[in-house]
Amino acid sequence: MVTALDLRLKRANKVYREGETLSGVVIISSKETVPHQGITLTMEGVVNLQLSAKSVGVFEAFYNSVKPISLISSNIEVAKAGKLPNGRTEIPFEFPLTVKNNKVLYETYHGVFVNIQYTLRCDMRRPLLAKDLTKTCEFIVHSLRTSLPRFLIRGRLDSTNCVITQPLTGELVVEHSDVPVKSVELQLVRVETCGCAEGYARDATEIQNIQIADGNICQGLAIPIYMVFPRLFTCPTLETTNFKVEFEVNVVVVLQDDHLITENFPLKVSRV
């Protein structure tokens, strides 16, 4: 006895957004009556990460995949144990695409080292001596665009070619913002690159974070930028065959609704 299990979504393009409902039908086709021990649907969203051979070596990368990150996982029973008549049976279903615990549904993405995938799987358990049936289909998640408040912020750095013994200076002006400003900060970042012929590892870490404005700022007021390079954690920009030490500064504006506005400036540091 040949029994076929199929799974079809109502949307032809299979594209959904968080908060919407996946709907479709489970289709069972057979020329004879089909006994079963229950039919279930499982929805999963997973981020699979694979270590790069350049970072850890070919042998280690082969065996050491990073643990998958679960974004969503739930299941429902669409039919209790029983029998299905011969011919074609369609069982409709609806599956809400909602998450818990402040998790985020990232957009579907298929890459080399990062893979974000959403699947819907139907399982029909069969009695002894009959093989269980499984059908899986992938659906696509598009993230919702968040409405960014309108703003206009201008400013300048006096120079990005910096002398390590002299402060980084400039100014910033908030011309307009629909949402009040909460804070303005300067973040000094070191970028260290280490490697050899087998590959390179590049890491950016924060050295210091200086708040240059607190609370809502008068629009049109020039805020001075002034930051001294810390003695022990900075050096002239350095580049060799095996490693590099570079520096960047981020100007970070935090709005009252916790939106972050960030602008990055690479610096070239020297000593005279």
Side-chain angles (χ1 to χ4, degrees):
M1 179 178 67
V2 178
T3 302
L5 176 66
D6 198 7
L7 184 60
R8 296 184 184 176
L9 294 171
K10 284 187 177 180
R11 290 188 185 176
N13 62 6
K14 299 181 181 179
V15 175
Y16 294 86
R17 291 177 171 82
E18 183 179 342
E20 294 184 335
T21 300
L22 278 78
S23 58
V25 291
V26 175
I27 304 171
I28 303 97
S29 303
S30 179
K31 293 182 179 180
E32 299 180 27
T33 301
V34 181
H36 65 90
Q37 295 178 335
I39 302 173
T40 59
L41 278 176
T42 303
M43 177 171 61
E44 289 187 327
V46 177
V47 181
N48 287 301
L49 305 174
Q50 177 68 45
L51 296 178
S52 169
K54 290 184 178 181
S55 298
V56 297
V58 176
F59 184 81
E60 289 179 342
F62 183 78
Y63 289 102
N64 295 310
S65 294
V66 181
K67 186 178 179 181
I69 302 168
S70 176
L71 301 176
I72 188 171
S73 180
S74 55
N75 61 73
I76 57 174
E77 185 179 57
V78 294
K80 295 184 180 296
K83 292 183 179 180
L84 297 174
N86 65 321
R88 177 187 173 102
T89 301
E90 294 189 359
I91 306 174
F93 66 84
E94 289 189 344
F95 222 136
L97 190 60
T98 55
V99 292
K100 299 177 181 178
N101 302 324
N102 297 321
K103 289 190 175 181
V104 177
L105 293 184
Y106 305 118
E107 281 211 9
T108 297
Y109 171 74
H110 295 279
V112 178
F113 303 113
V114 178
N115 194 69
I116 305 172
Q117 188 174 29
Y118 298 88
T119 57
L120 192 61
R121 188 184 75 246
C122 181
D123 295 298
M124 186 169 76
R125 299 188 303 278
R126 307 285 299 281
L128 288 174
L129 304 180
K131 185 179 180 181
D132 291 349
L133 298 180
T134 299
K135 180 69 175 181
T136 302
C137 75
E138 181 180 3
F139 62 94
I140 300 168
V141 170
H142 284 179
S143 59
L144 292 169
R145 291 185 60 186
T146 57
S147 56
L148 187 67
R150 295 179 60 189
F151 62 88
L152 175 61
I153 300 172
R154 63 176 178 83
R156 61 176 175 80
L157 293 176
D158 292 331
S159 178
T160 56
N161 292 318
C162 306
V163 177
I164 198 169
T165 55
Q166 298 177 7
L168 176 73
T169 58
E171 67 175 25
L172 181 139
V173 179
V174 178
E175 297 284 7
H176 169 76
S177 178
D178 287 348
V179 177
V181 174
K182 185 177 181 180
S183 176
V184 181
E185 301 163 5
L186 286 180
Q187 182 186 50
L188 181 62
V189 175
R190 60 189 155 210
V191 183
E192 299 166 312
T193 305
C194 303
C196 54
E198 285 74 22
Y200 288 85
R202 184 179 186 273
D203 290 294
T205 53
E206 179 183 301
I207 297 174
Q208 67 180 8
N209 193 307
I210 299 174
Q211 187 181 52
I212 61 173
D214 182 25
N216 196 19
I217 302 162
C218 294
Q219 296 182 6
L221 176 68
I223 303 168
I225 293 174
Y226 188 95
M227 184 181 68
V228 176
F229 291 99
R231 178 181 174 188
L232 295 178
F233 301 106
T234 52
C235 68
T237 300
L238 183 60
E239 182 173 353
T240 73
T241 304
N242 295 324
F243 68 92
K244 291 192 294 184
V245 180
E246 300 167 290
F247 298 93
E248 299 174 350
V249 66
N250 294 322
V251 179
V252 183
V253 179
V254 186
L255 302 182
Q256 288 287 1
D257 59 0
D258 289 330
H259 266 107
L260 291 180
I261 305 165
T262 304
E263 190 71 28
N264 175 269
F265 300 93
L267 303 177
K268 185 168 183 179
V269 182
S270 61
R271 188 184 297 276
V272 295

